[in-house]
Amino acid sequence: SEDLLLRPHSKTCTQEQLDYINQLIGRPWVRGAEGPEAFDCWSCAKHIEELFFGRAMPSFTDPPSALRALAKLIKHHEHRAKWQRVDQPVHGALVELAHVREAFHIGVWLNVEGGGILHCNQRVGVAWDTQLKLQAAGWRGFYYHDWIG
């Protein structure tokens, strides 16, 4: 809806967006799902980037079952040229997450309650977590990518 769409360089979420995020929390992870009833990590990030920021993202409706193969597919996709790696998170940035060095999970950084990552994982589905909470869960690498279109 038009109420949810932000300009690409906005600094935080609107109340309508926060309400929408709260409706998404807990929706299940399903490999290859495109939302809005179920997502995988990529489609959740894609959904938010398109709906909140108007950024077109590619679909991976039949992703490889191995997470590392999917991560490689995303890492080498031509769409990555529209994103620039940055040192600090910015509102709307894609965040790749890694347990060691190789990222195989993705979410969106939102400047909400001090900042955090909206993502979808197999264990809990759609979730919003602070980076500190994700670090406590074993995530060690956080790689931020800002839209340059």
Side-chain angles (χ1 to χ4, degrees), residues 109 115-119 121 124 127-134:
W109 181 271
I117 300 167
L118 186 69
H119 63 111
N121 69 47
V124 299
W128 184 90
D129 292 308
T130 64
Q131 188 166 312
L132 190 61
K133 184 174 178 184
L134 290 165

Side-chain angles (χ1 to χ4, degrees), residues 79-141:
H79 191 268
R80 283 187 71 101
K82 296 182 179 197
W83 296 86
Q84 176 180 325
R85 185 139 169 210
V86 293
D87 293 333
Q88 296 297 316
V90 294
H91 188 61
L94 287 178
V95 184
E96 292 179 303
L97 292 86
H99 282 297
V100 183
R101 273 180 283 208
E102 190 70 28
F104 60 91
H105 187 50
I106 197 160
V108 178
W109 181 271
L110 298 174
N111 286 339
V112 176
E113 296 179 6
I117 300 167
L118 186 69
H119 63 111
C120 186
N121 69 47
Q122 293 179 19
R123 192 171 43 82
V124 299
V126 177
W128 184 90
D129 292 308
T130 64
Q131 188 166 312
L132 190 61
K133 184 174 178 184
L134 290 165
Q135 286 171 326
W139 295 102
R140 298 291 175 253

Side-chain angles (χ1 to χ4, degrees), residues 1-72:
S1 123
E2 287 298 315
D3 292 342
L4 295 176
L5 187 63
L6 277 183
R7 295 186 187 278
H9 299 291
S10 62
K11 302 293 184 208
T12 191
C13 290
T14 65
Q15 186 59 52
E16 291 83 7
Q17 289 173 324
L18 294 174
D19 293 344
Y20 185 75
I21 290 167
N22 284 325
Q23 292 172 24
L24 292 180
I25 300 297
R27 293 207 184 162
W29 182 95
V30 175
R31 181 180 155 290
E34 285 282 310
E37 297 308 315
F39 296 95
D40 58 22
C41 68
W42 175 260
S43 65
C44 182
K46 175 185 184 302
H47 183 72
I48 293 301
E49 289 293 343
E50 290 178 348
L51 190 62
F52 285 13
F53 302 98
R55 300 169 179 165
M57 305 274 286
S59 291
F60 298 107
T61 53
D62 188 25
S65 57
L67 289 176
R68 294 201 190 287
L70 177 58
K72 186 176 180 181

